[in-house]
């Protein structure tokens, strides 16, 4: 079970965008340069965030990305789902209905949801709830508590042409 | 984020093995036939369970698999980790230390764990805790509540030569 590495990139970029000066849009190349990431691949992640309204983009010579809504309204679950998809990690292929198992226990089982799939769904729900309870603003605050100068330093770097 | 499909197979096989007559060992081919699964691939999953002591195997003409410990002592987390590995789903590649980000915020950040990695770890811990709180015995009981005849029917099928 692996989350795509783009999730880490996207969360960092959202935190950085929460710190840039208001109305600043940042090109993907600049977001990528800050963490020494490949621009083309980061651009794909940023467009995935854009499709979910997590970032907004402006095209043209002064174009780029900014947050699509306030950082307290963007959760880690929003970012993870935008980059990694929102499908369940546990895929029930219904093998209880296949072969002799299906013939032996099938009729009774067909009326009830699969106990195994339910158990994994419940565990995943805890994971989703936890990530949905933590926003980009929460994380930006935590980074700032550990490193009070970070927001100002990041803002200054992104304000440079 | 996807769990390997072998997790579903392995959990079903553990439930089935919890229902067979005591001291019965079941060949992988027979476990596979019950759910119409490919024997060679299921055998790989069963061997992975064996490496973690979840099942025990006996070789020879009357060989096969049985549970390696009581079903109440085998959790869904045990089975998922045996089949899918126990690595974290969120991989922190430390991009906060790369490029200008590392130079600007690096010194302060180097002293603290990454806030983003911590947040994803905590969410994953909830998922693990939830799966670790549910045993093969719990699931077998739940299946039996929905379908009281299931254990007896399954036992009879596996008792056939």
């Amino acid at each position: 079970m692996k989350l795509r590495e783009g999730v880490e990139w996207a969360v960092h970029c959202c935190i950085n965008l929460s710190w840039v000066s208001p109305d600043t849009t940042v090109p993907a190349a600049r977001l990528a340069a800050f963490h020494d990431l490949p621009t083309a691949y980061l651009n794909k992640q940023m467009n995935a965030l854009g499709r979910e309204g997590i970032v907004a983009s402006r095209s043209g010579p002064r174009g780029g990305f900014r947050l699509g809504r306030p950082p307290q309204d963007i959760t880690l679950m929003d970012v993870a789902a935008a980059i990694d998809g929102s499908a369940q990690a546990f895929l029930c292929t219904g093998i209880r209905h296949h072969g002799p198992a299906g013939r032996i226990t099938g009729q009774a089982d067909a009326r009830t949801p699969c106990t195994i799939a339910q158990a994994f769904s419940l565990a995943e729900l805890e994971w989703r709830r936890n990530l949905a309870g933590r926003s980009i603003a929460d994380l930006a605050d935590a980074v700032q508590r550990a490193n009070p100068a970070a927001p100002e330093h990041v803002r200054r770097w992104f304000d440079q042409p």
Side-chain angles (χ1 to χ4, degrees), chain A:
Chain A
M1 193 170 85
K2 278 269 151 278
L3 280 166
R4 292 191 187 138
E5 65 178 344
V7 175
E8 181 193 16
W9 301 6
V11 175
H12 273 291
C13 288
C14 286
I15 293 176
N16 293 335
L17 288 175
S18 80
W19 284 335
V20 298
S21 301
D23 302 322
T24 305
T25 54
V26 183
R30 193 100 182 118
L31 286 166
F34 190 59
H35 291 290
D36 204 9
L37 297 171
T39 300
Y41 189 33
L42 180 65
N43 197 44
K44 282 181 72 170
Q45 318 302 331
M46 297 307 295
N47 286 328
L49 296 181
R51 282 191 292 276
E52 301 300 326
I54 294 168
V55 297
S57 60
R58 186 168 64 185
S59 51
R62 300 197 52 199
F65 294 96
R66 59 177 174 78
L67 290 187
R69 52 183 190 258
Q72 58 270 29
D73 295 340
I74 301 170
T75 72
L76 290 192
M77 191 66 242
D78 294 336
V79 177
I83 301 295
D84 202 71
S86 52
Q88 295 257 335
F90 179 86
L91 179 70
C92 178
T93 63
I95 65 164
R96 66 184 180 140
H97 302 308
H98 300 169
R103 290 191 293 279
I104 285 175
T105 64
Q107 284 203 313
D109 279 0
R111 293 192 302 268
T112 55
C114 177
T115 311
I116 300 173
Q118 276 185 313
F120 278 92
S121 282
L122 283 171
E124 230 176 294
L125 200 58
E126 292 297 316
W127 179 79
R128 285 172 198 275
R129 269 197 197 128
N130 198 286
L131 292 181
R134 223 173 287 261
S135 71
I136 292 296
D138 294 335
L139 286 199
D141 287 351
V143 173
Q144 187 171 6
R145 273 195 300 278
N147 183 354
E152 179 59 24
H153 284 154
V154 170
R155 180 181 306 115
R156 265 194 234 150
W157 192 87
F158 279 104
D159 277 351
Q160 290 166 24

